[in-house]
Amino acid sequence: MWCFFVLFCFLVSMKCGSSAQLIFNITKFAEYTICNKTVVIPCLVNNVGAQSLKEMFVKWKFRDKYIFFYDGDKNESSPNSNFSSAFIVPEALLSGIASLKMDKSDAVPGNYTCEVTELTREGETIVELKYRVVSWFSPNENILIVIFPMLAVLLFWGQFGIVTLKYNASVTKEKTILLFVAGLVLTTFVIVGAILFVPGEYSTKRASGLGLIVVPTVILILLQYSVFMIAPAIGMSSFSITILILQVLGFVLSVVGLSLCVSECTPMHGPLLISGLGIIALAELLGLVYMKFVASNQRAIQPPRNN
Ligand SMILES: *[C@@H]1O[C@H](CO)[C@@H](O)[C@H](O)[C@H]1NC(C)=O
Ligand SMILES: *[C@@H]1O[C@H](CO)[C@@H](O)[C@H](O)[C@H]1NC(C)=O
Ligand SMILES: *[C@@H]1O[C@H](CO)[C@@H](O)[C@H](O)[C@H]1NC(C)=O
Ligand SMILES: *[C@@H]1O[C@H](CO)[C@@H](O)[C@H](O)[C@H]1NC(C)=O
Ligand SMILES: *[C@@H]1O[C@H](CO)[C@@H](O)[C@H](O)[C@H]1NC(C)=O
């Protein structure tokens, strides 16, 4: 009889033992990027029964070291000094949420263990925190952002070539030098900007690189205007005015795009910026074609006029 009673008790305690488990909604890993300000490592208990925080205790472990304790009886959190920003939301514990939140600066990739105790029941789950490198702009956007301004600068040098070769008689040396210096400054800005803007994660270095690529294109408007005014046969024709308006429009779009993108870790307005830069390059191309056209017309007309 005694024997059966002992066996019965043993079986009951076994049963209690196996039901004294907290069940977790398992998350194998959580990912964060440079764009996350805070990092949340999920830990979700599916069968919390506690009615009061006083019955709960949470421990978080990282690489076999405890990094965070929450004592519900005292309602007290104690993070390890290496994870000083770590916290959980006590109020959410009763609905099963023991997720650990911390600043990105404290987060270290690796395996985190969440241990939850509720009176006699307990359980743990492991979540791997991973860091993912994300590029600021997409690869295609990166290429276009650099290519269009470079192209625009090259086309300006083409215009400069026409001015010095075809109109050298009517252009003073001072004006040529001024054009050359302004063009050189612009070229330097764009090249330095492109070097700083090398593809990669968002950083102030890359953001300032983008600024150096975009803002100095205002010089192109002045250069285009000067080149048109210097070339004797062009001046302010309706065509050159159209090109200049296009150029200003491109600049305005680029600067608006820049201001929307420059502080965004995941920029949404890359296409606006790129279309602005594309329009600038187009205006330079039209300017060059127009000048070439006028210059070759001039040469055809000039000999009879000289006779
Ligand atoms: C990082 O941010 C993304 C987007 O906001 C979010 O979906 C993800 O859960 C965050 N990662 C972590 C570990 O908090
Ligand atoms: C766990 O998952 C179940 C089913 O997906 C859901 O109903 C429950 O709310 C989840 N638990 C927590 C604590 O999020
Ligand atoms: C636990 O402490 C937090 C602040 O540390 C407080 O906001 C919250 O109200 C407390 N909860 C209980 C149940 O005492
Ligand atoms: C903090 O991190 C350093 C380096 O990883 C480690 O040596 C040290 O033991 C950690 N401190 C605590 C309190 O865990
Ligand atoms: C985390 O644990 C998983 C499964 O045990 C393992 O595959 C992975 O390599 C671990 N990650 C790290 C960074 O230790």
Side-chain angles (χ1 to χ4, degrees), residues 34-35 133-146 193 196-203 205-211 213-214 254 256-275 277:
I34 192 163
C35 299
V133 175
V134 285
S135 174
W136 185 21
F137 286 93
S138 74
N140 287 342
E141 289 176 330
N142 276 323
I143 292 172
L144 293 177
I145 287 172
V146 173
L196 292 177
F197 183 67
V198 287
E201 296 181 312
Y202 177 81
S203 68
K205 189 191 90 173
R206 294 202 171 84
S208 42
L210 185 63
I213 294 176
V214 173
S254 320
V256 172
L258 171 72
S259 63
L260 291 176
C261 291
V262 80
S263 56
E264 289 281 308
C265 189
T266 39
M268 304 303 289
H269 296 90
L272 180 68
L273 170 65
I274 289 166
S275 45
L277 295 173

Tab-separated table of all heavy atoms in Angstrom, residues 34-35 133-146 193 196-203 205-211 213-214 254 256-275 277:
chain	number	residue	atom	x	y	z
A	34	ILE	N	23.182	49.000	-39.269
A	34	ILE	CA	23.649	50.298	-38.781
A	34	ILE	C	22.469	51.247	-38.585
A	34	ILE	O	22.563	52.222	-37.844
A	34	ILE	CB	24.691	50.895	-39.763
A	34	ILE	CG1	25.401	52.078	-39.123
A	34	ILE	CG2	24.042	51.287	-41.074
A	34	ILE	CD1	26.669	52.455	-39.794
A	35	CYS	N	21.339	50.958	-39.211
A	35	CYS	CA	20.188	51.858	-39.152
A	35	CYS	C	19.316	51.650	-37.916
A	35	CYS	O	18.452	52.475	-37.640
A	35	CYS	CB	19.351	51.723	-40.420
A	35	CYS	SG	20.272	52.149	-41.897
A	133	VAL	N	25.413	44.053	-42.772
A	133	VAL	CA	25.919	45.272	-43.393
A	133	VAL	C	24.965	45.665	-44.522
A	133	VAL	O	24.660	44.853	-45.389
A	133	VAL	CB	27.341	45.036	-43.961
A	133	VAL	CG1	27.826	46.262	-44.701
A	133	VAL	CG2	28.296	44.671	-42.840
A	134	VAL	N	24.458	46.904	-44.480
A	134	VAL	CA	23.596	47.374	-45.572
A	134	VAL	C	24.224	48.616	-46.182
A	134	VAL	O	24.692	49.507	-45.476
A	134	VAL	CB	22.159	47.705	-45.109
A	134	VAL	CG1	21.366	46.455	-44.869
A	134	VAL	CG2	22.163	48.593	-43.886
A	135	SER	N	24.201	48.647	-47.493
A	135	SER	CA	24.735	49.797	-48.212
A	135	SER	C	23.764	50.971	-48.072
A	135	SER	O	22.552	50.783	-47.996
A	135	SER	CB	24.914	49.414	-49.675
A	135	SER	OG	25.303	50.524	-50.419
A	136	TRP	N	24.313	52.203	-48.011
A	136	TRP	CA	23.469	53.396	-47.853
A	136	TRP	C	22.523	53.509	-49.047
A	136	TRP	O	21.310	53.445	-48.907
A	136	TRP	CB	24.365	54.630	-47.718
A	136	TRP	CG	23.628	55.903	-47.430
A	136	TRP	CD1	22.380	56.007	-46.894
A	136	TRP	CD2	24.090	57.226	-47.648
A	136	TRP	NE1	22.050	57.322	-46.751
A	136	TRP	CE2	23.074	58.100	-47.211
A	136	TRP	CE3	25.268	57.780	-48.172
A	136	TRP	CZ2	23.198	59.482	-47.277
A	136	TRP	CZ3	25.387	59.155	-48.229
A	136	TRP	CH2	24.371	59.994	-47.798
A	137	PHE	N	23.098	53.647	-50.253
A	137	PHE	CA	22.287	53.623	-51.464
A	137	PHE	C	22.443	52.246	-52.114
A	137	PHE	O	23.399	51.525	-51.824
A	137	PHE	CB	22.743	54.707	-52.437
A	137	PHE	CG	22.333	56.099	-52.033
A	137	PHE	CD1	23.186	56.884	-51.285
A	137	PHE	CD2	21.099	56.608	-52.384
A	137	PHE	CE1	22.806	58.164	-50.891
A	137	PHE	CE2	20.712	57.873	-52.004
A	137	PHE	CZ	21.563	58.659	-51.251
A	138	SER	N	21.528	51.908	-53.007
A	138	SER	CA	21.648	50.633	-53.707
A	138	SER	C	22.815	50.732	-54.694
A	138	SER	O	23.228	51.838	-55.054
A	138	SER	CB	20.350	50.334	-54.449
A	138	SER	OG	20.253	51.170	-55.587
A	139	PRO	N	23.359	49.600	-55.137
A	139	PRO	CA	24.507	49.646	-56.056
A	139	PRO	C	24.237	50.491	-57.307
A	139	PRO	O	25.095	51.287	-57.713
A	139	PRO	CB	24.708	48.174	-56.414
A	139	PRO	CG	24.153	47.425	-55.261
A	139	PRO	CD	23.010	48.240	-54.734
A	140	ASN	N	23.048	50.336	-57.901
A	140	ASN	CA	22.736	51.118	-59.099
A	140	ASN	C	22.709	52.610	-58.793
A	140	ASN	O	23.221	53.426	-59.556
A	140	ASN	CB	21.379	50.708	-59.671
A	140	ASN	CG	21.447	49.358	-60.333
A	140	ASN	OD1	22.534	48.883	-60.663
A	140	ASN	ND2	20.295	48.732	-60.514
A	141	GLU	N	22.092	52.957	-57.667
A	141	GLU	CA	22.034	54.369	-57.277
A	141	GLU	C	23.436	54.920	-57.063
A	141	GLU	O	23.744	56.025	-57.496
A	141	GLU	CB	21.186	54.530	-56.010
A	141	GLU	CG	19.707	54.314	-56.243
A	141	GLU	CD	18.883	54.383	-54.962
A	141	GLU	OE1	19.409	54.032	-53.891
A	141	GLU	OE2	17.711	54.768	-55.035
A	142	ASN	N	24.291	54.119	-56.394
A	142	ASN	CA	25.674	54.549	-56.178
A	142	ASN	C	26.349	54.915	-57.486
A	142	ASN	O	27.006	55.948	-57.594
A	142	ASN	CB	26.470	53.415	-55.514
A	142	ASN	CG	26.291	53.407	-54.011
A	142	ASN	OD1	26.216	54.461	-53.387
A	142	ASN	ND2	26.194	52.236	-53.440
A	143	ILE	N	26.168	54.067	-58.498
A	143	ILE	CA	26.834	54.294	-59.784
A	143	ILE	C	26.317	55.574	-60.431
A	143	ILE	O	27.089	56.444	-60.824
A	143	ILE	CB	26.617	53.076	-60.717
A	143	ILE	CG1	27.375	51.873	-60.156
A	143	ILE	CG2	27.073	53.387	-62.134
A	143	ILE	CD1	27.082	50.579	-60.871
A	144	LEU	N	24.980	55.711	-60.482
A	144	LEU	CA	24.406	56.872	-61.162
A	144	LEU	C	24.768	58.176	-60.449
A	144	LEU	O	25.038	59.188	-61.097
A	144	LEU	CB	22.881	56.726	-61.243
A	144	LEU	CG	22.412	55.577	-62.143
A	144	LEU	CD1	20.892	55.447	-62.113
A	144	LEU	CD2	22.888	55.791	-63.574
A	145	ILE	N	24.791	58.140	-59.115
A	145	ILE	CA	25.095	59.357	-58.352
A	145	ILE	C	26.502	59.855	-58.672
A	145	ILE	O	26.770	61.044	-58.662
A	145	ILE	CB	24.931	59.088	-56.837
A	145	ILE	CG1	23.454	58.975	-56.487
A	145	ILE	CG2	25.585	60.186	-56.011
A	145	ILE	CD1	23.179	58.516	-55.071
A	146	VAL	N	27.411	58.929	-58.974
A	146	VAL	CA	28.779	59.344	-59.294
A	146	VAL	C	28.938	59.637	-60.788
A	146	VAL	O	29.600	60.593	-61.179
A	146	VAL	CB	29.781	58.259	-58.825
A	146	VAL	CG1	31.176	58.572	-59.284
A	146	VAL	CG2	29.744	58.155	-57.309
A	193	GLY	N	34.540	64.320	-53.586
A	193	GLY	CA	33.234	63.831	-53.135
A	193	GLY	C	33.035	62.369	-53.490
A	193	GLY	O	32.608	61.564	-52.660
A	196	LEU	N	35.045	60.123	-51.217
A	196	LEU	CA	34.447	59.977	-49.880
A	196	LEU	C	33.178	59.140	-49.924
A	196	LEU	O	32.799	58.489	-48.958
A	196	LEU	CB	34.117	61.355	-49.291
A	196	LEU	CG	35.297	62.240	-48.945
A	196	LEU	CD1	34.809	63.595	-48.454
A	196	LEU	CD2	36.155	61.593	-47.881
A	197	PHE	N	32.515	59.176	-51.086
A	197	PHE	CA	31.196	58.546	-51.212
A	197	PHE	C	31.291	57.065	-51.580
A	197	PHE	O	30.289	56.448	-51.877
A	197	PHE	CB	30.389	59.318	-52.268
A	197	PHE	CG	28.990	58.830	-52.462
A	197	PHE	CD1	28.048	58.971	-51.447
A	197	PHE	CD2	28.595	58.229	-53.644
A	197	PHE	CE1	26.752	58.523	-51.613
A	197	PHE	CE2	27.290	57.783	-53.821
A	197	PHE	CZ	26.375	57.925	-52.794
A	198	VAL	N	32.471	56.467	-51.517
A	198	VAL	CA	32.601	55.044	-51.892
A	198	VAL	C	31.461	54.241	-51.280
A	198	VAL	O	31.059	54.497	-50.152
A	198	VAL	CB	33.935	54.414	-51.426
A	198	VAL	CG1	35.077	54.913	-52.249
A	198	VAL	CG2	34.152	54.623	-49.949
A	199	PRO	N	30.914	53.264	-52.015
A	199	PRO	CA	29.766	52.503	-51.520
A	199	PRO	C	30.025	51.891	-50.144
A	199	PRO	O	31.147	51.492	-49.844
A	199	PRO	CB	29.597	51.406	-52.567
A	199	PRO	CG	30.196	51.954	-53.795
A	199	PRO	CD	31.314	52.845	-53.355
A	200	GLY	N	28.986	51.855	-49.339
A	200	GLY	CA	29.094	51.233	-48.020
A	200	GLY	C	27.962	51.693	-47.127
A	200	GLY	O	27.007	52.282	-47.590
A	201	GLU	N	28.126	51.424	-45.818
A	201	GLU	CA	27.091	51.797	-44.861
A	201	GLU	C	27.008	53.311	-44.714
A	201	GLU	O	27.952	54.025	-45.013
A	201	GLU	CB	27.424	51.194	-43.493
A	201	GLU	CG	27.411	49.693	-43.461
A	201	GLU	CD	27.720	49.175	-42.061
A	201	GLU	OE1	28.695	49.644	-41.468
A	201	GLU	OE2	26.966	48.323	-41.578
A	202	TYR	N	25.868	53.761	-44.187
A	202	TYR	CA	25.701	55.186	-43.943
A	202	TYR	C	26.749	55.686	-42.959
A	202	TYR	O	27.006	55.058	-41.938
A	202	TYR	CB	24.307	55.461	-43.368
A	202	TYR	CG	24.082	56.908	-43.025
A	202	TYR	CD1	23.742	57.809	-44.015
A	202	TYR	CD2	24.235	57.371	-41.727
A	202	TYR	CE1	23.552	59.148	-43.719
A	202	TYR	CE2	24.051	58.702	-41.421
A	202	TYR	CZ	23.711	59.585	-42.416
A	202	TYR	OH	23.530	60.904	-42.119
A	203	SER	N	27.401	56.815	-43.281
A	203	SER	CA	28.337	57.436	-42.342
A	203	SER	C	28.399	58.918	-42.676
A	203	SER	O	28.016	59.333	-43.768
A	203	SER	CB	29.729	56.807	-42.470
A	203	SER	OG	30.290	57.152	-43.713
A	205	LYS	N	31.014	60.564	-43.225
A	205	LYS	CA	31.985	60.711	-44.310
A	205	LYS	C	31.284	60.576	-45.666
A	205	LYS	O	31.446	61.415	-46.547
A	205	LYS	CB	33.073	59.634	-44.157
A	205	LYS	CG	34.251	59.823	-45.096
A	205	LYS	CD	35.160	58.605	-45.102
A	205	LYS	CE	34.714	57.630	-46.164
A	205	LYS	NZ	35.598	56.489	-46.373
A	206	ARG	N	30.485	59.529	-45.810
A	206	ARG	CA	29.776	59.326	-47.079
A	206	ARG	C	28.765	60.434	-47.317
A	206	ARG	O	28.580	60.883	-48.444
A	206	ARG	CB	29.080	57.975	-47.086
A	206	ARG	CG	30.072	56.859	-47.068
A	206	ARG	CD	29.514	55.557	-47.605
A	206	ARG	NE	30.643	54.663	-47.729
A	206	ARG	CZ	31.118	53.941	-46.717
A	206	ARG	NH1	30.529	53.974	-45.535
A	206	ARG	NH2	32.170	53.173	-46.898
A	207	ALA	N	28.099	60.886	-46.239
A	207	ALA	CA	27.109	61.949	-46.408
A	207	ALA	C	27.795	63.226	-46.881
A	207	ALA	O	27.302	63.910	-47.781
A	207	ALA	CB	26.367	62.185	-45.095
A	208	SER	N	28.987	63.549	-46.321
A	208	SER	CA	29.660	64.764	-46.774
A	208	SER	C	30.188	64.579	-48.189
A	208	SER	O	30.212	65.528	-48.976
A	208	SER	CB	30.764	65.187	-45.810
A	208	SER	OG	31.486	64.076	-45.369
A	209	GLY	N	30.591	63.360	-48.543
A	209	GLY	CA	30.982	63.077	-49.925
A	209	GLY	C	29.855	63.391	-50.890
A	209	GLY	O	30.060	64.039	-51.921
A	210	LEU	N	28.651	62.965	-50.521
A	210	LEU	CA	27.487	63.223	-51.378
A	210	LEU	C	27.259	64.723	-51.515
A	210	LEU	O	27.010	65.228	-52.615
A	210	LEU	CB	26.247	62.537	-50.787
A	210	LEU	CG	24.988	62.631	-51.635
A	210	LEU	CD1	25.189	61.917	-52.962
A	210	LEU	CD2	23.784	62.055	-50.910
A	211	GLY	N	27.392	65.439	-50.391
A	211	GLY	CA	27.243	66.899	-50.434
A	211	GLY	C	28.263	67.521	-51.381
A	211	GLY	O	27.933	68.400	-52.172
A	213	ILE	N	29.615	66.183	-53.934
A	213	ILE	CA	29.302	65.861	-55.327
A	213	ILE	C	28.186	66.775	-55.825
A	213	ILE	O	28.241	67.292	-56.936
A	213	ILE	CB	28.870	64.386	-55.473
A	213	ILE	CG1	30.036	63.453	-55.158
A	213	ILE	CG2	28.344	64.106	-56.870
A	213	ILE	CD1	29.665	61.983	-55.181
A	214	VAL	N	27.175	66.982	-54.976
A	214	VAL	CA	25.943	67.620	-55.457
A	214	VAL	C	26.014	69.146	-55.420
A	214	VAL	O	25.749	69.811	-56.435
A	214	VAL	CB	24.725	67.121	-54.644
A	214	VAL	CG1	23.485	67.889	-55.024
A	214	VAL	CG2	24.521	65.628	-54.868
A	254	SER	N	18.317	68.170	-57.480
A	254	SER	CA	19.409	67.461	-56.798
A	254	SER	C	19.546	67.921	-55.362
A	254	SER	O	19.767	67.112	-54.470
A	254	SER	CB	20.755	67.693	-57.484
A	254	SER	OG	20.624	67.679	-58.845
A	256	VAL	N	17.263	69.348	-53.430
A	256	VAL	CA	16.125	68.863	-52.634
A	256	VAL	C	16.327	67.377	-52.321
A	256	VAL	O	16.187	66.944	-51.167
A	256	VAL	CB	14.794	69.088	-53.381
A	256	VAL	CG1	13.652	68.396	-52.641
A	256	VAL	CG2	14.497	70.574	-53.497
A	257	GLY	N	16.725	66.602	-53.333
A	257	GLY	CA	16.990	65.176	-53.124
A	257	GLY	C	18.090	64.969	-52.092
A	257	GLY	O	17.961	64.148	-51.188
A	258	LEU	N	19.152	65.772	-52.213
A	258	LEU	CA	20.261	65.669	-51.253
A	258	LEU	C	19.773	65.919	-49.830
A	258	LEU	O	20.069	65.159	-48.913
A	258	LEU	CB	21.347	66.682	-51.615
A	258	LEU	CG	22.472	66.842	-50.588
A	258	LEU	CD1	23.370	65.627	-50.584
A	258	LEU	CD2	23.290	68.091	-50.854
A	259	SER	N	18.972	66.995	-49.653
A	259	SER	CA	18.563	67.341	-48.290
A	259	SER	C	17.635	66.267	-47.714
A	259	SER	O	17.614	66.055	-46.511
A	259	SER	CB	17.889	68.708	-48.273
A	259	SER	OG	16.726	68.654	-49.052
A	260	LEU	N	16.905	65.566	-48.595
A	260	LEU	CA	16.033	64.502	-48.096
A	260	LEU	C	16.823	63.223	-47.779
A	260	LEU	O	16.424	62.435	-46.938
A	260	LEU	CB	14.936	64.184	-49.116
A	260	LEU	CG	13.882	65.274	-49.314
A	260	LEU	CD1	12.909	64.884	-50.423
A	260	LEU	CD2	13.129	65.541	-48.026
A	261	CYS	N	17.947	63.030	-48.490
A	261	CYS	CA	18.691	61.771	-48.331
A	261	CYS	C	19.780	61.863	-47.274
A	261	CYS	O	20.125	60.864	-46.650
A	261	CYS	CB	19.368	61.372	-49.648
A	261	CYS	SG	18.225	60.871	-50.929
A	262	VAL	N	20.318	63.077	-47.087
A	262	VAL	CA	21.630	63.175	-46.425
A	262	VAL	C	21.589	62.705	-44.971
A	262	VAL	O	22.578	62.187	-44.457
A	262	VAL	CB	22.189	64.607	-46.569
A	262	VAL	CG1	21.554	65.550	-45.562
A	262	VAL	CG2	23.697	64.606	-46.449
A	263	SER	N	20.439	62.842	-44.308
A	263	SER	CA	20.395	62.408	-42.907
A	263	SER	C	19.606	61.119	-42.739
A	263	SER	O	19.341	60.684	-41.625
A	263	SER	CB	19.793	63.515	-42.045
A	263	SER	OG	18.528	63.845	-42.546
A	264	GLU	N	19.240	60.498	-43.867
A	264	GLU	CA	18.458	59.263	-43.816
A	264	GLU	C	19.376	58.056	-43.913
A	264	GLU	O	20.120	57.918	-44.880
A	264	GLU	CB	17.478	59.225	-44.998
A	264	GLU	CG	16.336	60.209	-44.896
A	264	GLU	CD	15.248	59.721	-43.971
A	264	GLU	OE1	14.782	58.585	-44.161
A	264	GLU	OE2	14.879	60.473	-43.047
A	265	CYS	N	19.263	57.177	-42.939
A	265	CYS	CA	20.089	55.973	-42.978
A	265	CYS	C	19.626	55.043	-44.105
A	265	CYS	O	20.426	54.376	-44.740
A	265	CYS	CB	20.014	55.277	-41.635
A	265	CYS	SG	21.161	53.934	-41.451
A	266	THR	N	18.306	55.002	-44.341
A	266	THR	CA	17.783	54.267	-45.497
A	266	THR	C	17.056	55.273	-46.385
A	266	THR	O	15.880	55.546	-46.200
A	266	THR	CB	16.800	53.170	-45.071
A	266	THR	OG1	16.009	53.670	-43.989
A	266	THR	CG2	17.490	51.915	-44.616
A	267	PRO	N	17.800	55.870	-47.329
A	267	PRO	CA	17.235	56.975	-48.119
A	267	PRO	C	16.111	56.517	-49.042
A	267	PRO	O	16.235	55.516	-49.743
A	267	PRO	CB	18.439	57.493	-48.911
A	267	PRO	CG	19.374	56.351	-48.958
A	267	PRO	CD	19.149	55.520	-47.742
A	268	MET	N	15.014	57.268	-49.022
A	268	MET	CA	13.865	56.932	-49.864
A	268	MET	C	13.870	57.771	-51.141
A	268	MET	O	13.160	57.466	-52.074
A	268	MET	CB	12.555	57.190	-49.122
A	268	MET	CG	12.428	56.462	-47.793
A	268	MET	SD	12.597	54.688	-47.982
A	268	MET	CE	11.056	54.344	-48.822
A	269	HIS	N	14.617	58.870	-51.141
A	269	HIS	CA	14.487	59.826	-52.239
A	269	HIS	C	15.693	59.818	-53.168
A	269	HIS	O	15.978	60.821	-53.821
A	269	HIS	CB	14.223	61.220	-51.689
A	269	HIS	CG	12.908	61.309	-50.966
A	269	HIS	ND1	12.780	61.059	-49.621
A	269	HIS	CD2	11.667	61.547	-51.413
A	269	HIS	CE1	11.509	61.172	-49.270
A	269	HIS	NE2	10.809	61.464	-50.336
A	270	GLY	N	16.390	58.670	-53.235
A	270	GLY	CA	17.497	58.540	-54.174
A	270	GLY	C	17.083	58.863	-55.608
A	270	GLY	O	17.788	59.601	-56.298
A	271	PRO	N	15.933	58.359	-56.089
A	271	PRO	CA	15.532	58.642	-57.467
A	271	PRO	C	15.383	60.131	-57.771
A	271	PRO	O	15.735	60.579	-58.866
A	271	PRO	CB	14.182	57.922	-57.591
A	271	PRO	CG	14.277	56.807	-56.612
A	271	PRO	CD	15.070	57.354	-55.457
A	272	LEU	N	14.900	60.912	-56.791
A	272	LEU	CA	14.761	62.360	-56.994
A	272	LEU	C	16.142	62.984	-57.201
A	272	LEU	O	16.375	63.725	-58.172
A	272	LEU	CB	14.069	62.974	-55.769
A	272	LEU	CG	13.836	64.477	-55.820
A	272	LEU	CD1	12.799	64.797	-56.885
A	272	LEU	CD2	13.393	64.999	-54.466
A	273	LEU	N	17.065	62.648	-56.302
A	273	LEU	CA	18.435	63.139	-56.393
A	273	LEU	C	19.050	62.760	-57.739
A	273	LEU	O	19.639	63.593	-58.436
A	273	LEU	CB	19.243	62.532	-55.242
A	273	LEU	CG	20.749	62.719	-55.249
A	273	LEU	CD1	21.089	64.182	-55.092
A	273	LEU	CD2	21.386	61.918	-54.131
A	274	ILE	N	18.854	61.494	-58.141
A	274	ILE	CA	19.476	61.003	-59.364
A	274	ILE	C	18.873	61.673	-60.594
A	274	ILE	O	19.594	62.040	-61.529
A	274	ILE	CB	19.356	59.467	-59.438
A	274	ILE	CG1	20.287	58.853	-58.397
A	274	ILE	CG2	19.705	58.952	-60.821
A	274	ILE	CD1	20.045	57.404	-58.130
A	275	SER	N	17.544	61.889	-60.585
A	275	SER	CA	16.964	62.548	-61.763
A	275	SER	C	17.483	63.973	-61.864
A	275	SER	O	17.746	64.461	-62.965
A	275	SER	CB	15.444	62.481	-61.745
A	275	SER	OG	14.936	62.788	-60.485
A	277	LEU	N	20.476	65.014	-60.943
A	277	LEU	CA	21.840	64.920	-61.474
A	277	LEU	C	21.812	64.565	-62.963
A	277	LEU	O	22.625	65.058	-63.749
A	277	LEU	CB	22.636	63.876	-60.684
A	277	LEU	CG	22.878	64.211	-59.210
A	277	LEU	CD1	23.525	63.037	-58.495
A	277	LEU	CD2	23.742	65.457	-59.081
